[in-house]
Amino acid sequence: MNPVKPGETRRTPWIVGVSGASGTPYAASVLRALLDAGESVDLVVSRASRLTLLDETGIAFRDAHWQDDLREWLTRGADGKPGTFETDLSDVRYWNAGDLAAGPSSGSYRTKGMLIVPASTACVAGVALGLSKDLLQRAASVTLKERRPLVVAVRETPLNGQTLRHLVALDDAGASVVPASPGFYAGAAHIQDLVDFVGGRVLDAVGVEHGLYRRWTGELHRGTGE
């Protein structure tokens, strides 16, 4: 557990798990929005996701330099342009995916819930079957058993029957399945708009306020210029 020091309030974070599926910009969008909303974040980055992050951004995520690497990641736009965003990492705590003694591995560790963004089919299978082969899967299993919110932003296409059955099992267990499927009605004019739409829907599933996309109001908008 995190001890409460004099002058501090109890910290109750959202766990954000990043698996090896393509879609690291989705994770960056969710992380930035959580921090902008004043939420605390516990971050778990799987071994496979490090390879995806390196491939998609050129960033090597290193345990010993995680703050520098995370800052470089979150300040980039979805188009890879550096310095697009500003971010404060003071309320982020990082846990190594191989650390099965980490705080989020226990139900007595207080969290608000968990968001897996993006979620690979291997991650979906592991959580649905309760394998707990790493901290990401274990934290998700703990989230389910403690009846806390779990969002699984699956990013794969097409989906085979086995994965669909795993997703149904997660839904039955109380998780919210949010496919990483961008909507176009919000007037997307840039790749970042499409990424933020998915990030916003992930946060909608757990009731976190954000301004990532324009919500539907019942009025038609003819293109992005109206």
CSV table of all heavy atoms in Angstrom, one decimal, residues 5-49:
chain,number,residue,atom,x,y,z
A,5,LYS,N,1.7,10.2,3.8
A,5,LYS,CA,2.7,11.1,4.6
A,5,LYS,C,2.0,12.3,5.1
A,5,LYS,O,0.9,12.7,4.7
A,5,LYS,CB,3.8,11.5,3.6
A,5,LYS,CG,4.6,10.3,3.0
A,5,LYS,CD,5.6,10.7,2.1
A,5,LYS,CE,6.4,9.6,1.4
A,5,LYS,NZ,7.4,10.0,0.4
A,6,PRO,N,2.6,12.9,6.2
A,6,PRO,CA,2.0,14.1,6.7
A,6,PRO,C,1.8,15.2,5.7
A,6,PRO,O,2.7,15.5,4.8
A,6,PRO,CB,3.1,14.6,7.7
A,6,PRO,CG,3.8,13.3,8.1
A,6,PRO,CD,3.8,12.5,6.9
A,7,GLY,N,0.6,15.8,5.7
A,7,GLY,CA,0.3,16.8,4.7
A,7,GLY,C,-0.2,16.3,3.4
A,7,GLY,O,-0.6,17.1,2.5
A,8,GLU,N,-0.2,14.9,3.2
A,8,GLU,CA,-0.7,14.4,2.0
A,8,GLU,C,-2.1,13.8,2.2
A,8,GLU,O,-2.6,13.5,3.3
A,8,GLU,CB,0.2,13.2,1.5
A,8,GLU,CG,1.5,13.7,1.0
A,8,GLU,CD,2.4,12.5,0.5
A,8,GLU,OE1,2.0,11.4,0.7
A,8,GLU,OE2,3.3,12.8,-0.2
A,9,THR,N,-2.9,13.7,1.1
A,9,THR,CA,-4.2,13.0,1.1
A,9,THR,C,-4.0,11.6,0.5
A,9,THR,O,-3.0,11.3,-0.2
A,9,THR,CB,-5.2,13.8,0.3
A,9,THR,OG1,-4.8,13.9,-1.0
A,9,THR,CG2,-5.5,15.1,0.9
A,10,ARG,N,-4.9,10.7,0.8
A,10,ARG,CA,-4.8,9.4,0.3
A,10,ARG,C,-4.9,9.4,-1.2
A,10,ARG,O,-5.8,10.0,-1.8
A,10,ARG,CB,-5.9,8.5,0.9
A,10,ARG,CG,-5.8,7.0,0.4
A,10,ARG,CD,-6.8,6.1,1.1
A,10,ARG,NE,-6.5,6.0,2.5
A,10,ARG,CZ,-5.6,5.1,3.0
A,10,ARG,NH1,-5.0,4.4,2.2
A,10,ARG,NH2,-5.4,5.0,4.3
A,11,ARG,N,-4.0,8.7,-1.9
A,11,ARG,CA,-4.0,8.6,-3.3
A,11,ARG,C,-4.7,7.4,-3.8
A,11,ARG,O,-4.4,6.3,-3.4
A,11,ARG,CB,-2.5,8.6,-3.8
A,11,ARG,CG,-2.3,8.5,-5.3
A,11,ARG,CD,-0.8,8.4,-5.5
A,11,ARG,NE,-0.5,8.4,-7.0
A,11,ARG,CZ,-0.5,7.3,-7.7
A,11,ARG,NH1,-0.7,6.1,-7.1
A,11,ARG,NH2,-0.2,7.3,-9.0
A,12,THR,N,-5.7,7.6,-4.6
A,12,THR,CA,-6.5,6.5,-5.2
A,12,THR,C,-6.4,6.6,-6.7
A,12,THR,O,-7.1,7.3,-7.3
A,12,THR,CB,-7.9,6.4,-4.7
A,12,THR,OG1,-8.0,6.5,-3.3
A,12,THR,CG2,-8.6,5.2,-5.2
A,13,PRO,N,-5.5,5.8,-7.4
A,13,PRO,CA,-5.3,6.0,-8.8
A,13,PRO,C,-6.2,5.2,-9.7
A,13,PRO,O,-6.8,4.2,-9.3
A,13,PRO,CB,-3.8,5.5,-9.0
A,13,PRO,CG,-3.7,4.4,-7.9
A,13,PRO,CD,-4.6,4.8,-6.8
A,14,TRP,N,-6.2,5.5,-11.0
A,14,TRP,CA,-6.6,4.6,-12.0
A,14,TRP,C,-5.4,3.9,-12.5
A,14,TRP,O,-4.3,4.5,-12.7
A,14,TRP,CB,-7.2,5.4,-13.2
A,14,TRP,CG,-8.5,6.1,-13.0
A,14,TRP,CD1,-8.7,7.4,-12.6
A,14,TRP,CD2,-9.8,5.4,-13.0
A,14,TRP,NE1,-10.1,7.6,-12.5
A,14,TRP,CE2,-10.7,6.4,-12.7
A,14,TRP,CE3,-10.2,4.1,-13.3
A,14,TRP,CZ2,-12.1,6.1,-12.7
A,14,TRP,CZ3,-11.5,3.8,-13.3
A,14,TRP,CH2,-12.5,4.8,-13.0
A,15,ILE,N,-5.5,2.6,-12.7
A,15,ILE,CA,-4.5,1.8,-13.3
A,15,ILE,C,-4.7,1.9,-14.8
A,15,ILE,O,-5.8,1.6,-15.3
A,15,ILE,CB,-4.5,0.3,-12.9
A,15,ILE,CG1,-4.4,0.2,-11.4
A,15,ILE,CG2,-3.4,-0.5,-13.5
A,15,ILE,CD1,-4.7,-1.2,-10.9
A,16,VAL,N,-3.6,2.2,-15.5
A,16,VAL,CA,-3.6,2.2,-17.0
A,16,VAL,C,-2.7,1.1,-17.5
A,16,VAL,O,-1.4,1.2,-17.2
A,16,VAL,CB,-3.3,3.5,-17.6
A,16,VAL,CG1,-3.2,3.4,-19.2
A,16,VAL,CG2,-4.3,4.6,-17.2
A,17,GLY,N,-3.2,0.1,-18.1
A,17,GLY,CA,-2.3,-1.0,-18.7
A,17,GLY,C,-2.2,-0.8,-20.2
A,17,GLY,O,-3.2,-0.7,-20.9
A,18,VAL,N,-1.0,-0.9,-20.6
A,18,VAL,CA,-0.7,-0.8,-22.1
A,18,VAL,C,-0.2,-2.1,-22.6
A,18,VAL,O,0.9,-2.6,-22.1
A,18,VAL,CB,0.3,0.3,-22.4
A,18,VAL,CG1,0.5,0.5,-23.9
A,18,VAL,CG2,-0.1,1.6,-21.7
A,19,SER,N,-1.0,-2.8,-23.4
A,19,SER,CA,-0.5,-4.1,-23.9
A,19,SER,C,0.1,-4.0,-25.3
A,19,SER,O,0.3,-2.9,-25.8
A,19,SER,CB,-1.7,-5.1,-24.0
A,19,SER,OG,-2.5,-4.8,-25.2
A,20,GLY,N,0.4,-5.1,-25.9
A,20,GLY,CA,1.3,-5.0,-27.1
A,20,GLY,C,0.5,-4.8,-28.4
A,20,GLY,O,1.1,-4.8,-29.5
A,21,ALA,N,-0.8,-4.5,-28.4
A,21,ALA,CA,-1.5,-4.2,-29.6
A,21,ALA,C,-1.0,-2.9,-30.2
A,21,ALA,O,-0.6,-2.0,-29.5
A,21,ALA,CB,-3.0,-4.2,-29.4
A,22,SER,N,-1.2,-2.8,-31.5
A,22,SER,CA,-0.9,-1.5,-32.2
A,22,SER,C,-1.9,-0.5,-31.6
A,22,SER,O,-3.1,-0.8,-31.4
A,22,SER,CB,-1.1,-1.6,-33.7
A,22,SER,OG,-0.9,-0.4,-34.3
A,23,GLY,N,-1.5,0.8,-31.4
A,23,GLY,CA,-2.4,1.8,-30.9
A,23,GLY,C,-1.9,2.5,-29.7
A,23,GLY,O,-2.6,3.0,-28.9
A,24,THR,N,-0.5,2.7,-29.6
A,24,THR,CA,0.0,3.4,-28.5
A,24,THR,C,-0.5,4.8,-28.4
A,24,THR,O,-0.5,5.4,-27.3
A,24,THR,CB,1.6,3.4,-28.5
A,24,THR,OG1,2.0,3.8,-29.8
A,24,THR,CG2,2.1,1.9,-28.3
A,25,PRO,N,-0.8,5.5,-29.5
A,25,PRO,CA,-1.4,6.9,-29.4
A,25,PRO,C,-2.7,6.9,-28.6
A,25,PRO,O,-3.0,7.9,-27.9
A,25,PRO,CB,-1.7,7.3,-30.9
A,25,PRO,CG,-0.6,6.5,-31.6
A,25,PRO,CD,-0.6,5.2,-31.0
A,26,TYR,N,-3.5,5.8,-28.6
A,26,TYR,CA,-4.7,5.7,-27.8
A,26,TYR,C,-4.4,5.8,-26.3
A,26,TYR,O,-5.0,6.5,-25.6
A,26,TYR,CB,-5.5,4.4,-28.1
A,26,TYR,CG,-6.0,4.3,-29.5
A,26,TYR,CD1,-5.8,3.2,-30.3
A,26,TYR,CD2,-6.8,5.3,-30.1
A,26,TYR,CE1,-6.3,3.0,-31.5
A,26,TYR,CE2,-7.3,5.2,-31.3
A,26,TYR,CZ,-7.1,4.1,-32.1
A,26,TYR,OH,-7.6,3.9,-33.3
A,27,ALA,N,-3.3,5.0,-26.0
A,27,ALA,CA,-2.9,5.0,-24.6
A,27,ALA,C,-2.4,6.4,-24.2
A,27,ALA,O,-2.7,6.9,-23.1
A,27,ALA,CB,-1.8,4.0,-24.3
A,28,ALA,N,-1.7,7.1,-25.0
A,28,ALA,CA,-1.2,8.4,-24.7
A,28,ALA,C,-2.3,9.4,-24.5
A,28,ALA,O,-2.3,10.2,-23.6
A,28,ALA,CB,-0.3,8.9,-25.8
A,29,SER,N,-3.4,9.3,-25.4
A,29,SER,CA,-4.5,10.2,-25.2
A,29,SER,C,-5.2,10.0,-23.9
A,29,SER,O,-5.6,11.0,-23.2
A,29,SER,CB,-5.5,9.9,-26.4
A,29,SER,OG,-6.7,10.7,-26.3
A,30,VAL,N,-5.4,8.7,-23.5
A,30,VAL,CA,-6.1,8.4,-22.2
A,30,VAL,C,-5.2,8.9,-21.1
A,30,VAL,O,-5.8,9.6,-20.1
A,30,VAL,CB,-6.4,6.9,-22.1
A,30,VAL,CG1,-6.8,6.6,-20.7
A,30,VAL,CG2,-7.5,6.5,-23.1
A,31,LEU,N,-3.9,8.7,-21.1
A,31,LEU,CA,-3.1,9.1,-20.0
A,31,LEU,C,-3.1,10.6,-19.9
A,31,LEU,O,-3.2,11.2,-18.7
A,31,LEU,CB,-1.6,8.6,-20.3
A,31,LEU,CG,-1.4,7.1,-20.0
A,31,LEU,CD1,-0.1,6.7,-20.7
A,31,LEU,CD2,-1.4,6.8,-18.6
A,32,ARG,N,-3.0,11.4,-21.0
A,32,ARG,CA,-3.0,12.8,-20.9
A,32,ARG,C,-4.3,13.3,-20.3
A,32,ARG,O,-4.3,14.2,-19.5
A,32,ARG,CB,-2.7,13.4,-22.3
A,32,ARG,CG,-1.3,13.4,-22.8
A,32,ARG,CD,-1.1,14.2,-24.0
A,32,ARG,NE,-1.9,13.8,-25.1
A,32,ARG,CZ,-1.5,13.0,-26.1
A,32,ARG,NH1,-0.2,12.6,-26.1
A,32,ARG,NH2,-2.3,12.6,-27.1
A,33,ALA,N,-5.4,12.8,-20.8
A,33,ALA,CA,-6.7,13.2,-20.3
A,33,ALA,C,-6.9,12.9,-18.8
A,33,ALA,O,-7.5,13.8,-18.1
A,33,ALA,CB,-7.8,12.6,-21.2
A,34,LEU,N,-6.5,11.8,-18.4
A,34,LEU,CA,-6.6,11.5,-16.9
A,34,LEU,C,-5.8,12.5,-16.1
A,34,LEU,O,-6.3,13.0,-15.1
A,34,LEU,CB,-6.1,10.1,-16.6
A,34,LEU,CG,-7.0,8.9,-17.0
A,34,LEU,CD1,-6.3,7.6,-16.9
A,34,LEU,CD2,-8.3,8.9,-16.2
A,35,LEU,N,-4.6,12.8,-16.5
A,35,LEU,CA,-3.8,13.7,-15.8
A,35,LEU,C,-4.4,15.1,-15.8
A,35,LEU,O,-4.3,15.9,-14.8
A,35,LEU,CB,-2.3,13.7,-16.3
A,35,LEU,CG,-1.6,12.3,-16.1
A,35,LEU,CD1,-0.3,12.3,-16.8
A,35,LEU,CD2,-1.5,12.0,-14.6
A,36,ASP,N,-4.9,15.5,-17.0
A,36,ASP,CA,-5.5,16.8,-17.1
A,36,ASP,C,-6.7,17.0,-16.2
A,36,ASP,O,-7.1,18.1,-15.8
A,36,ASP,CB,-5.9,17.1,-18.6
A,36,ASP,CG,-4.7,17.3,-19.5
A,36,ASP,OD1,-3.6,17.6,-18.9
A,36,ASP,OD2,-4.9,17.3,-20.7
A,37,ALA,N,-7.4,15.8,-16.0
A,37,ALA,CA,-8.6,15.8,-15.1
A,37,ALA,C,-8.2,15.8,-13.6
A,37,ALA,O,-9.1,15.7,-12.8
A,37,ALA,CB,-9.5,14.6,-15.5
A,38,GLY,N,-7.0,15.8,-13.3
A,38,GLY,CA,-6.5,15.7,-11.9
A,38,GLY,C,-6.5,14.3,-11.3
A,38,GLY,O,-6.5,14.2,-10.1
A,39,GLU,N,-6.6,13.3,-12.1
A,39,GLU,CA,-6.6,11.9,-11.6
A,39,GLU,C,-5.2,11.4,-11.4
A,39,GLU,O,-4.2,11.8,-12.1
A,39,GLU,CB,-7.3,11.0,-12.6
A,39,GLU,CG,-8.7,11.4,-12.9
A,39,GLU,CD,-9.7,11.0,-11.8
A,39,GLU,OE1,-9.2,10.3,-10.8
A,39,GLU,OE2,-10.8,11.4,-11.8
A,40,SER,N,-5.0,10.5,-10.5
A,40,SER,CA,-3.8,9.8,-10.3
A,40,SER,C,-3.7,8.6,-11.2
A,40,SER,O,-4.7,8.0,-11.4
A,40,SER,CB,-3.6,9.4,-8.8
A,40,SER,OG,-3.7,10.5,-7.9
A,41,VAL,N,-2.5,8.2,-11.6
A,41,VAL,CA,-2.4,7.1,-12.5
A,41,VAL,C,-1.3,6.2,-12.1
A,41,VAL,O,-0.2,6.6,-11.7
A,41,VAL,CB,-2.0,7.6,-14.0
A,41,VAL,CG1,-1.6,6.5,-14.9
A,41,VAL,CG2,-3.2,8.4,-14.6
A,42,ASP,N,-1.6,4.9,-12.1
A,42,ASP,CA,-0.6,3.8,-11.9
A,42,ASP,C,-0.4,3.2,-13.3
A,42,ASP,O,-1.4,2.7,-13.9
A,42,ASP,CB,-1.0,2.8,-10.9
A,42,ASP,CG,-0.7,3.2,-9.5
A,42,ASP,OD1,-0.5,4.4,-9.2
A,42,ASP,OD2,-0.7,2.3,-8.6
A,43,LEU,N,0.8,3.2,-13.8
A,43,LEU,CA,1.0,2.8,-15.2
A,43,LEU,C,1.7,1.4,-15.2
A,43,LEU,O,2.7,1.2,-14.5
A,43,LEU,CB,1.9,3.8,-15.9
A,43,LEU,CG,2.3,3.5,-17.4
A,43,LEU,CD1,1.1,3.4,-18.3
A,43,LEU,CD2,3.3,4.6,-17.9
A,44,VAL,N,1.2,0.5,-16.1
A,44,VAL,CA,1.8,-0.8,-16.3
A,44,VAL,C,2.0,-1.0,-17.8
A,44,VAL,O,1.0,-0.9,-18.5
A,44,VAL,CB,1.0,-2.0,-15.7
A,44,VAL,CG1,1.7,-3.3,-16.0
A,44,VAL,CG2,0.7,-1.8,-14.3
A,45,VAL,N,3.2,-1.1,-18.2
A,45,VAL,CA,3.6,-1.2,-19.7
A,45,VAL,C,4.1,-2.7,-19.9
A,45,VAL,O,5.1,-3.0,-19.3
A,45,VAL,CB,4.6,-0.2,-20.1
A,45,VAL,CG1,5.0,-0.4,-21.5
A,45,VAL,CG2,4.1,1.2,-19.8
A,46,SER,N,3.4,-3.4,-20.7
A,46,SER,CA,3.8,-4.8,-20.9
A,46,SER,C,5.1,-4.9,-21.7
A,46,SER,O,5.5,-4.0,-22.4
A,46,SER,CB,2.7,-5.6,-21.6
A,46,SER,OG,2.6,-5.3,-23.0
A,47,ARG,N,5.7,-6.1,-21.7
A,47,ARG,CA,6.9,-6.2,-22.4
A,47,ARG,C,6.7,-6.1,-23.9
A,47,ARG,O,7.4,-5.5,-24.7
A,47,ARG,CB,7.5,-7.6,-22.1
A,47,ARG,CG,8.1,-7.8,-20.7
A,47,ARG,CD,8.7,-9.2,-20.5
A,47,ARG,NE,9.8,-9.4,-21.4
A,47,ARG,CZ,10.4,-10.6,-21.5
A,47,ARG,NH1,10.0,-11.6,-20.8
A,47,ARG,NH2,11.4,-10.7,-22.4
A,48,ALA,N,5.6,-6.7,-24.4
A,48,ALA,CA,5.2,-6.6,-25.8
A,48,ALA,C,4.9,-5.2,-26.2
A,48,ALA,O,5.3,-4.8,-27.4
A,48,ALA,CB,4.0,-7.5,-26.1
A,49,SER,N,4.3,-4.4,-25.4
A,49,SER,CA,4.0,-3.0,-25.7
A,49,SER,C,5.2,-2.1,-25.9
A,49,SER,O,5.2,-1.2,-26.6
A,49,SER,CB,3.0,-2.4,-24.7
A,49,SER,OG,3.7,-2.2,-23.5
